[in-house]
Amino acid sequence: MDDEKWFAERFEEHRPRLRAVAYRMLGSFADAEDALQDAWLRISRAEVRAAEIENPAGWLTTIVGRVCLNALRSRRTRAEEPWDGRLPDPVVAEDGPSTPEDAVLLADDLGLALQIVLDTLSPDERLAFVLHDMFEVPFPEIAAVLEREDAATRQLASRARKRVSTARIPEQQRDVARQREVVDAFFAAAREGDLDALVSVLHPDVVARADFGAIKLPRPALVRGARTVAQNAKIGYVPAAELRPVLVNGAAAALVVRDGRPTNIMAFTVVDGLITALDIYGDPDRVRELAASALS
């Protein structure tokens, strides 16, 4: 087998893992696919023989990591707040067992809350944390990508780990059926306009984030507190909308459909029977693209 064919076969073999690396690094499916295409161009032009590569998965992962690092460095500097106005792309799926591809993407229980925190890390911190803590790439290999000393690379991962720890991301309720009960109770209360019932299913410190792209919102895009979130949910509920149960990053969520067209995705984080976070996607074009697999 010639080297070019060997590289192509190894790349396809490890594509699910490589896509998962790019998704965690970039938070965007489109950017992740662009990164994989860029990585493949580099791989196909690499001046290395197949026989020289002892660990194909590790070698491919570091190449994808380097491409993603460059992409992150070219972006505008991220704000230090846990959310800068754009929600990362969620993994939207039908309400049921996950596909093998989604299972790879969502390994380590990658919820939206963690993905949002990852967006606050510096590019170098994010690479060190994602490759080491999520994909078990050895520090010397990560250091080579970053062109840093091994000790400095370990410090980057440690700082990122502290940032994630400080964010105090709650451990979501694992029983999706129980999550669904809480989500259904939320929508039932919103439908009835029952403010007290809405408050009763919300954690006192619940946070609600809304990303409508370029659409100007009549209300703040980020609100905190059970009563404030409940009031916004009560005002924003549209009785004519159809609510289709879906999964977002493996958790109970809803796809809002109006006149046969998907318009919103509503993702919930449920902890100990209460909603601690509500993330709303409202850009119709983006929603349609993200929800394509669930609608099929």
Side-chain angles (χ1 to χ4, degrees):
M1 181 187 299
D2 60 39
D3 284 355
E4 184 177 352
K5 184 176 180 181
W6 185 88
F7 286 138
E9 289 184 355
R10 297 293 78 72
F11 189 81
E12 289 305 314
E13 176 187 353
H14 297 290
R15 180 182 284 274
R17 170 188 167 91
L18 300 176
R19 184 168 180 257
V21 170
Y23 171 59
R24 284 163 172 74
M25 283 292 297
L26 301 173
S28 161
F29 294 127
D31 290 350
E33 289 300 330
D34 288 344
L36 290 190
Q37 290 184 26
D38 191 352
W40 170 245
L41 287 176
R42 296 185 182 211
I43 292 163
S44 63
R45 298 168 182 168
E47 295 181 2
V48 61
R49 305 282 305 192
E52 300 172 21
I53 301 172
E54 296 181 1
N55 179 6
W59 182 69
L60 293 168
T61 297
T62 55
I63 292 176
V64 171
R66 184 175 289 109
V67 170
C68 292
L69 178 66
N70 292 339
L72 286 177
R73 285 174 172 173
S74 69
R75 287 180 179 177
R76 291 180 301 174
T77 303
R78 292 283 186 177
E80 290 301 314
E81 289 296 317
W83 184 61
D84 68 355
R86 177 178 169 83
L87 291 167
D89 286 351
V91 179
V92 183
E94 292 181 274
D95 194 1
S98 61
T99 65
E101 186 178 43
D102 285 348
V104 174
L105 275 177
L106 298 175
D108 302 319
D109 294 325
L110 182 70
L112 281 178
L114 176 56
Q115 194 72 26
I116 290 168
V117 175
L118 291 180
D119 277 354
T120 71
L121 304 178
S122 73
D124 290 22
E125 288 172 342
R126 189 164 183 169
L127 181 81
F129 179 80
V130 168
L131 291 193
H132 182 266
D133 286 41
M134 293 184 168
F135 292 93
E136 301 180 340
V137 176
F139 277 121
E141 295 180 23
I142 302 172
V145 175
L146 292 170
E147 297 181 345
R148 292 175 180 255
E149 296 294 329
D150 185 69
T153 302
R154 291 176 182 273
Q155 287 179 350
L156 285 169
S158 177
R159 285 206 301 267
R161 212 172 289 122
K162 280 184 182 176
R163 183 79 67 82
V164 172
S165 176
T166 302
R168 295 175 182 168
I169 300 171
E171 183 174 349
Q172 171 139 286
Q173 179 110 28
R174 291 183 177 274
D175 186 344
V176 176
R178 176 58 182 140
Q179 292 176 23
R180 183 64 64 194
E181 290 177 6
V182 176
V183 170
D184 287 347
F186 171 88
F187 283 121
R191 182 172 56 249
E192 297 298 325
D194 190 334
L195 188 62
D196 290 336
L198 276 167
V199 171
S200 71
V201 296
L202 298 172
H203 189 278
D205 299 320
V206 62
V207 57
R209 294 169 286 249
D211 180 355
F212 279 66
I215 301 173
K216 188 174 181 180
L217 296 176
R219 292 180 290 280
L222 190 152
V223 294
R224 298 180 185 275
R227 188 153 292 271
T228 303
V229 172
Q231 288 171 339
N232 277 271
K234 179 182 174 183
I235 294 170
Y237 185 79
V238 179
E242 176 191 355
L243 299 172
R244 296 188 186 179
V246 295
L247 298 178
V248 166
N249 284 46
L255 177 64
V256 180
V257 179
R258 297 175 190 167
D259 299 324
R261 294 190 296 270
T263 59
N264 301 84
I265 296 169
M266 300 183 68
F268 297 81
T269 301
V270 178
V271 178
D272 295 331
L274 294 175
I275 296 167
T276 61
L278 168 59
D279 294 294
I280 304 169
Y281 295 78
D283 181 334
D285 291 336
R286 188 181 181 201
V287 167
R288 187 166 54 251
E289 184 176 344
L290 291 171
S293 60
L295 287 170
S296 64

